Structure formats: structure tokens, C-alpha cells
Amino acid sequence: MRIVLHIWRQRNANEQGRMVRYELPNVSQHMSFLEMLDVLNEDLIAKGEDPVAFDHDCREGICGMCGCMVNGIAHGPLPGTTLCQLHMRHFKDGDELYLEPWRAKAFPVVKDLVVDRSAFDRLIAAGGFISASTGSAPDGNAILVPKEIADHSMDAAACIGCGACVAMCPNASASLFMGAKVAHLGLLPQGQPERYRRVKAMVAQAKAEIFGSCTNIGECEAVCPKEIRLEVIARMNGDFLKASFVQPGAGDGEE
Ligand code: SF4
Ligand code: FES
């Protein structure tokens, strides 16, 4: 099938970008979206032109590296799907697709469709960890966790840190990402020692990175490829409120 791509081309963070039109006359419906970009890049390289820069790694929907806006939707039109798992059979012959990088002040463009998401790394460094010794795999049932709690924690742990939630949010809020970490770690016994310190540190870091505030619009939930639910943000807000009242030293990291 024939696909027309309009792709954001930007040589580096300091230069202005622009949309460039490319026509692909022979796209197989069995190709993944990234394979289609590979074909475009092979063609550009053969012609001596600069290939389109885009992030990717696992191409299995598990690493969180890929992603761009496709006609204004983060990761494209298929719900619960990363860009690498999106296949061309979901598009029609003659479709025109507009590809842009994630747009957020905290995610500056590196080149073309690649953005710098190290702000997420700094959020994790601020609070997205536990201090309990992990060591080797514990014996099953050594630490008892109710099934329902374990399931909620596991659902939140599915976040792959892709950044689609930030890109889709009109406020460029990182709340779904942070809420996923707060819920994933804060629901388990191992996550209790830093529970309140974690949420305070992550919220403070988000402010420093110029992520916006959550206004419960829900665009993040709609595009999240791992279907992380808004309830994790409610949990984060609840923990943040409680953090204002807890005794110093009770899980807030202060002596
Ligand atoms: S919450 Fe969803 S959209 Fe946001 S970073 Fe995690 S997986 Fe990606
Ligand atoms: S390349 Fe790993 S999630 Fe898409």
C-alpha cells in the first residue's frame, strides 16, 4: 500500500525543525511501524540523505524506548500499543501520517523524532527506588502480600517509562509515570520505609524538571501503552497529602 509520511526533521536541539514529506509506494501491511521507517531510512541512505532518527530497542513493547506522535496521538491510533508493536495493517492505502517527537519542555528534542527523556531518570533517582536489600530471589511466600495488593502493584509496575503520558498531556504532566512508581513500590511491604519521602522527593523533582501539574484530563491514561490507570495518580496525591502529616522519620527519610 501507499503511505505518505510527513516527518518532523530537526538536526539538533538548537536548530529549528520542519515537516518533510516522504512517499512510500510499497508498504507491506505486515510491516511494523518501525520497519516502515527502516525501509524509508534505507532509501534515504541509498540516496545519500540523512536517515530519520528515531528511538527504539526491544521492538517488543517492553523497553519503553520507542514512541512518537502519529497524527497527534502518542504511539498512534491503536490503544494499549507501543509504536513498535503497531502494524501497518491498521492503516489504509493512501493514508497521510504526520510524525512528530514528544512535545514537552522537560523532553527537549535531540534530533528528528528523538527526545531527551533523562528527566524521567532523575525522577527515579529522586524517589523511585527501595532501600531494602534485594539480594537473590526470595523464597515464595516469605513476605506475605495479599493477592489483590500484589496484582495492583504488578499492574503499576508495567509502566515502561516511554513518556507518552507526558507527551499527550496538555500540561506535560509526569503524574501518571510518577503515580505508577509510587503505587508499584508503595503498595508492597518493601516500599514502606521510603513511602512518604518518595512521593515528596518525586513531586519536588517533577517541579524542578518543569513537568506540569495534573488536572485530571485523562489523556495520559488514554494513550498509555501499558494501560496504567488514573487511580495511581489518586494514590500519589493521597500519599503526598499524608506525607505532610507523618512524623519526621516515619517513612520520610528524615531523622
Ligand atoms: S505511565 Fe504509561 S505512558 Fe506513561 S511512561 Fe509509563 S507506560 Fe509510558
Ligand atoms: S522499542 Fe521497546 S517498547 Fe518499543
Side-chain angles (χ1 to χ4, degrees), residues 51-71:
V52 176
F54 63 92
D55 258 334
H56 61 105
D57 190 4
C58 71
R59 298 198 177 200
E60 293 179 346
I62 53 176
C63 76
M65 279 303 286
C66 68
C68 72
M69 306 300 279
V70 180
N71 289 352

Side-chain angles (χ1 to χ4, degrees), residues 29-119:
Q29 61 171 349
H30 303 299
M31 282 178 182
S32 72
F33 204 90
L34 299 190
E35 283 166 348
M36 176 190 62
L37 292 180
D38 290 339
V39 169
L40 169 66
N41 277 347
E42 281 167 14
D43 191 39
L44 291 176
I45 291 166
K47 288 194 280 191
E49 295 179 30
D50 194 21
V52 176
F54 63 92
D55 258 334
H56 61 105
D57 190 4
C58 71
R59 298 198 177 200
E60 293 179 346
I62 53 176
C63 76
M65 279 303 286
C66 68
C68 72
M69 306 300 279
V70 180
N71 289 352
I73 303 174
H75 287 299
L78 209 62
T81 307
T82 54
L83 193 67
C84 60
Q85 290 287 289
L86 179 64
H87 283 77
M88 296 314 295
R89 58 179 168 270
H90 298 290
F91 298 93
K92 296 192 304 294
D93 183 39
D95 268 357
E96 300 222 3
L97 306 176
Y98 291 79
L99 312 190
E100 293 175 79
W102 293 161
R103 302 279 189 200
K105 204 161 232 172
F107 290 164
V109 173
V110 175
K111 185 178 180 188
D112 299 336
L113 303 176
V114 178
V115 297
D116 178 355
R117 284 171 288 179
S118 55

